[in-house]
């Protein structure tokens, strides 16, 4: 059994393909809250708040019990004589109810599967961007619509839906970064154009799009993306683009070699070796001063050092932005952060 919340809440029997769809908004909200808190006891009080908010019925506890009973009837039980052990999915406790996932490894949630694949994709991004992109696309393919669609009535589902959406956007950013690392810039321009339209306050999508356009020889369009981002940010938030996006614009204007697709710099290096001349007194890559190299080699070597420093500064800027986003999320939702 897979409990699915990356879209409308539903239950999927992986063996038979049977889909179980709760009817009614309160049934969906109840199942959504129990799935979000699976393995944990959710108190009667919190479930009443989740279903009715500030206007519960006079007999709210009895009404909740009725919804739980109907939900239990939706969940499958073993066929008589099948020999399969009975599993009680929703268990009543003294303070509330708990949804217990099955013992089988496939008895899980699509959100857990998404997070697992996304984590593996992030871990592989630096060393194997092609594989990372495959993992991240598999993770994102699990989404069928907005998280917990049709179930967001209270705090439990609302907080989880917001966190899952942030995780989805972060996975998209990592995916397209991996595509750029794999020199697949020409494949992602259309998708990134749509994302900058759908999420105009997300600077990282503009950044990735600018790099993809530049690598395709479309420098003027890459700069126009920055101009579009700046106008939108100033108009909507009253702020200028952050240092990472400004740095990207400067790099494009200066034709920074670091913007080239992976492999391009290696091809240049194989044609133009970069030892340092002995007369400069500067050690070469091996720590020994160079021999007969001329001024051109010196310039190329220093250019390479500058490029590496720029890459380091860019990575630090991106890490700073990610830390600030995490800090903002934690301070905005102290309970979740705790």
């Amino acid at each position: 059994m897979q409990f699915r919340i990356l879209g409308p809440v539903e239950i999927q029997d992986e063996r038979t393909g049977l889909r179980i769809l709760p009817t009614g908004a309160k049934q969906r909200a109840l199942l959504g809250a129990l799935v979000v808190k699976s393995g944990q006891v959710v108190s009667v009080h919190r479930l009443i708040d989740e279903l009715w908010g500030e206007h519960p019925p006079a007999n709210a506890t009895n009404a909740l019990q009725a919804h739980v009973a109907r939900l239990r009837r939706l969940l499958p039980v073993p066929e008589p004589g099948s020999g399969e052990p009975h599993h009680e999915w929703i268990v009543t406790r003294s303070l509330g109810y708990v949804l217990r996932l099955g013992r089988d490894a496939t008895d899980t949630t699509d959100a857990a599967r998404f997070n697992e694949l996304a984590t593996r994709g992030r871990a592989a991004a630096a060393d194997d961007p092609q594989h990372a992109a495959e993992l991240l696309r598999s993770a994102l393919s699990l989404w069928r619509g907005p998280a917990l669609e049709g179930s967001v009535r209270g705090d439990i589902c609302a907080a989880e839906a917001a966190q899952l959406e942030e995780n989805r956007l972060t996975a998209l950013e990592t995916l397209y970064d991996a595509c750029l690392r794999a020199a697949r810039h020409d494949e992602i321009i259309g998708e990134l154009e749509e994302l900058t339209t759908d999420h105009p306050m997300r600077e990282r999508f503009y950044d990735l799009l600018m790099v993809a356009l530049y690598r395709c020889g479309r420098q003027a369009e890459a700069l126009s993306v920055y101009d579009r981002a700046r106008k939108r940010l100033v108009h909507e938030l009253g702020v200028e683009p952050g240092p990472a996006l400004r740095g990207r614009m400067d790099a494009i204007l200066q034709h920074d070699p670091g913007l080239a697709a992976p492999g391009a710099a290696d091809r240049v290096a194989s044609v133009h070796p970069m030892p340092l001349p002995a007369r400069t007194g500067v050690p070469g890559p091996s720590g020994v001063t160079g021999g007969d190299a001329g001024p051109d080699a010196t310039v190329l070597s220093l250019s390479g050092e500058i490029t590496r420093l720029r890459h380091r500064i860019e990575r630090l800027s991106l890490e700073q932005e990610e830390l600030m986003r995490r800090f903002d999320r934690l301070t905005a939702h102290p309970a979740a952060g705790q």
Side-chain angles (χ1 to χ4, degrees), residues 95-119:
L95 298 178
Y97 301 92
V98 57
L99 174 68
R100 299 190 308 166
L101 300 179
R103 301 181 184 88
D104 194 303
T106 59
D107 292 335
T108 182
T109 69
D110 57 351
R113 178 63 175 158
F114 164 77
N115 287 328
E116 176 203 350
L117 288 169
T119 299

Side-chain angles (χ1 to χ4, degrees), residues 82-99:
S82 66
E84 294 184 26
H86 175 72
H87 178 76
E88 189 176 3
W89 295 100
I90 301 176
V91 179
T92 302
R93 298 292 188 222
S94 58
L95 298 178
Y97 301 92
V98 57
L99 174 68

Side-chain angles (χ1 to χ4, degrees), residues 62-333:
N62 292 337
L64 176 62
Q65 290 173 350
H67 281 297
V68 170
R70 282 195 290 270
L71 192 56
R72 278 179 170 142
R73 288 195 290 269
L74 288 177
L75 297 170
V77 295
E79 294 287 338
S82 66
E84 294 184 26
H86 175 72
H87 178 76
E88 189 176 3
W89 295 100
I90 301 176
V91 179
T92 302
R93 298 292 188 222
S94 58
L95 298 178
Y97 301 92
V98 57
L99 174 68
R100 299 190 308 166
L101 300 179
R103 301 181 184 88
D104 194 303
T106 59
D107 292 335
T108 182
T109 69
D110 57 351
R113 178 63 175 158
F114 164 77
N115 287 328
E116 176 203 350
L117 288 169
T119 299
R120 290 168 55 194
R122 286 193 299 273
D127 298 327
D128 191 351
Q130 185 71 32
H131 182 51
E134 293 171 0
L135 288 170
L136 289 160
R137 286 204 182 274
S138 295
L140 291 161
S141 70
L142 296 172
W143 286 72
R144 299 166 289 111
L148 291 152
E149 185 177 8
S151 303
V152 180
R153 299 177 63 87
D155 292 343
I156 295 176
C157 289
E160 183 70 7
Q163 184 61 63
L164 286 170
E165 176 62 11
E166 177 62 26
N167 294 349
R168 184 182 75 89
L169 294 174
T170 301
L172 282 167
E173 292 172 348
T174 310
L175 165 65
Y176 294 116
D177 180 75
C179 289
L180 290 176
R181 290 173 183 267
R184 293 167 55 187
H185 40 273
D186 55 334
E187 303 174 15
I188 61 175
I189 289 175
E191 295 174 44
L192 285 169
E193 288 280 11
E194 290 184 11
L195 285 168
T196 57
T197 300
D198 295 340
H199 305 279
M201 300 297 107
R202 196 116 182 158
E203 292 188 37
R204 182 62 172 146
F205 290 139
Y206 293 111
D207 182 16
L208 295 163
L209 177 57
M210 289 168 68
V211 175
L213 288 168
Y214 179 83
R215 288 185 181 176
C216 291
R218 298 159 65 177
Q219 180 185 5
E221 292 177 66
L223 293 173
S224 72
V225 169
Y226 177 85
D227 186 56
R228 172 158 54 95
R230 180 184 178 278
K231 288 179 178 177
R232 193 64 183 265
L233 290 166
V234 170
H235 180 264
E236 298 290 339
L237 302 177
V239 300
E240 293 285 339
L245 202 58
R246 294 198 304 270
R248 187 71 74 195
M249 180 195 67
D250 292 340
I252 289 173
L253 287 171
Q254 298 169 17
H255 296 279
D256 187 337
L259 292 173
D266 296 336
R267 289 192 294 272
V268 172
S270 67
V271 179
H272 302 287
M274 296 188 296
L276 288 172
R279 63 184 179 84
T280 64
V282 181
S286 63
V288 181
T289 56
D292 299 327
D296 289 344
T298 304
V299 171
L300 285 171
S301 181
L302 291 175
S303 175
E305 291 297 325
I306 292 171
T307 298
R308 283 190 286 274
L309 286 172
R310 283 176 175 164
H311 287 171
R312 178 60 177 162
I313 291 170
E314 179 184 332
R315 284 196 298 271
L316 288 172
S317 296
L318 293 174
E319 289 171 4
Q320 180 188 27
E321 289 186 0
E322 176 60 23
L323 287 171
M324 290 302 298
R325 282 197 292 267
R326 290 171 60 189
F327 179 80
D328 290 342
R329 289 199 300 271
L330 289 172
T331 54
H333 303 287

